[in-house]
């Protein structure tokens, strides 16, 4: 079995997709080893969970960088380099990245987005899909490029929209699929190499 690729997960909140990735990475044949979890918010709930699993979890608050997004990213990037990170999974990381960070990690950074991209880039995806009268919705794992939620799609999960669905109910059903989808997409990327 080849060595696992040292990887980071970026979160901003509860981190349920991070948990799914960390759990999947316990399998001997999972291609990634998560060596650090990074949050832009020190209050992100997922940080404590990661620490309990024995994974280093660090908060680098964007508020400490006086709106200089690139300086914030440079601080994060330097922590990743120190740890030999080679791959990044964004998992509910709610900051828009600058072209600088995207350029540093081109072909080595993926994201999860709660819609069937290219539909509903940005926020409030569940509400928008219901309001549009769509019959299905879902989630996508995609490569990160300089556009927001714009890179090539790797894998998607589809979820039917039910009569009387609310954004919260739909979001919960999509989230359950996300937890399967993200590890499957990681496996797909590395099995194709
Ligand atoms: C997930 O639904 C993820 O798809 C979404 O945020 C949620 C994070 O939940 N990501 C985005 O909206 C990115 N634009 P989690 O913290 O429990 O993984």
């Amino acid at each position: 079995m080849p060595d696992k690729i040292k990887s980071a997960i970026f979160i901003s909140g509860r981190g349920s997709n991070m948990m799914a990735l960390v759990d999947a990475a316990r399998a001997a044949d999972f291609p990634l080893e998560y060596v650090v979890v990074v949050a832009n918010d020190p209050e992100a709930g997922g940080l404590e969970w990661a620490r309990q699993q024995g994974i280093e979890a660090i908060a680098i608050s964007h508020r400490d960088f006086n709106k200089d997004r690139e300086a914030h990213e440079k601080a994060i990037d330097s922590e990743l380099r120190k740890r030999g990170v080679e791959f990044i999974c964004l998992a509910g990381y709610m900051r828009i990245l600058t072209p600088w960070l995207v350029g540093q990690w081109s072909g080595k950074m993926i994201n999860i987005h709660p819609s069937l991209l290219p539909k509903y880039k940005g926020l409030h995806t569940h509400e928008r899909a219901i309001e549009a009268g769509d019959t299905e919705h879902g989630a996508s794992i995609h490569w990160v490029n300089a556009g927001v939620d714009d890179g090539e799609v790797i894998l998607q999960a589809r979820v039917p929209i039910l009569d009387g669905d609310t954004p919260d109910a739909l979001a919960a059903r999509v989230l359950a699929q996300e937890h399967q989808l993200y590890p499957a997409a990681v496996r797909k990327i590395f099995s194709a190499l």
Side-chain angles (χ1 to χ4, degrees):
M1 188 96 35
D3 283 351
K4 292 190 177 207
I5 296 158
K6 286 190 179 171
S7 303
I9 305 175
F10 285 20
I11 63 170
S12 293
R14 68 190 162 188
S16 71
N17 279 290
M18 169 207 67
M19 294 173 194
L21 287 170
V22 167
D23 284 341
R26 298 185 210 281
D29 66 345
F30 195 78
L32 305 181
E33 171 196 6
Y34 294 110
V35 296
V36 63
V37 170
V38 179
N40 63 298
D41 179 355
E43 303 296 315
L47 288 170
E48 192 49 41
W49 184 90
R51 290 183 191 123
Q52 285 164 5
Q53 313 305 307
I55 298 173
E56 192 182 5
I58 57 176
I60 302 176
S61 175
H62 58 277
R63 294 190 190 88
D64 295 342
F65 292 85
N66 201 19
K67 295 198 189 322
D68 185 341
R69 291 162 57 213
E70 211 172 284
H72 175 236
E73 291 175 348
K74 284 186 170 151
I76 294 175
D77 185 75
S78 122
E79 296 302 322
L80 303 182
R81 306 283 174 199
K82 274 187 220 164
R83 292 164 178 80
V85 167
E86 294 172 275
F87 197 85
I88 300 173
C89 298
L90 304 179
Y93 187 68
M94 302 307 279
R95 305 278 303 165
I96 291 176
L97 305 179
T98 72
W100 180 81
L101 192 75
V102 173
Q104 292 297 308
W105 292 90
S106 174
K108 296 175 182 172
M109 178 159 52
I110 60 177
N111 181 41
I112 185 160
H113 183 72
S115 79
L116 294 173
L117 289 174
K119 287 184 123 176
Y120 310 124
K121 296 174 180 177
L123 299 176
H124 310 302
T125 58
H126 311 296
E127 199 175 320
R128 287 156 67 201
I130 291 171
E131 274 172 13
D134 291 0
T135 55
E136 64 172 4
H137 185 48
S140 306
I141 309 294
H142 66 94
W143 290 102
V144 175
N145 68 10
V148 175
D149 303 324
D150 187 51
E152 187 192 337
V153 169
I154 299 157
L155 204 60
Q156 292 183 317
R158 312 182 92 82
V159 172
I161 297 181
L162 308 176
D163 283 348
D165 238 340
T166 63
D168 283 352
L170 180 57
R173 296 204 313 284
V174 171
L175 190 67
Q177 292 301 310
E178 291 183 36
H179 298 159
Q180 309 296 317
L181 180 70
Y182 213 158
V186 169
R187 286 184 181 277
K188 180 178 175 191
I189 292 166
F190 291 95
S191 69
L193 291 182

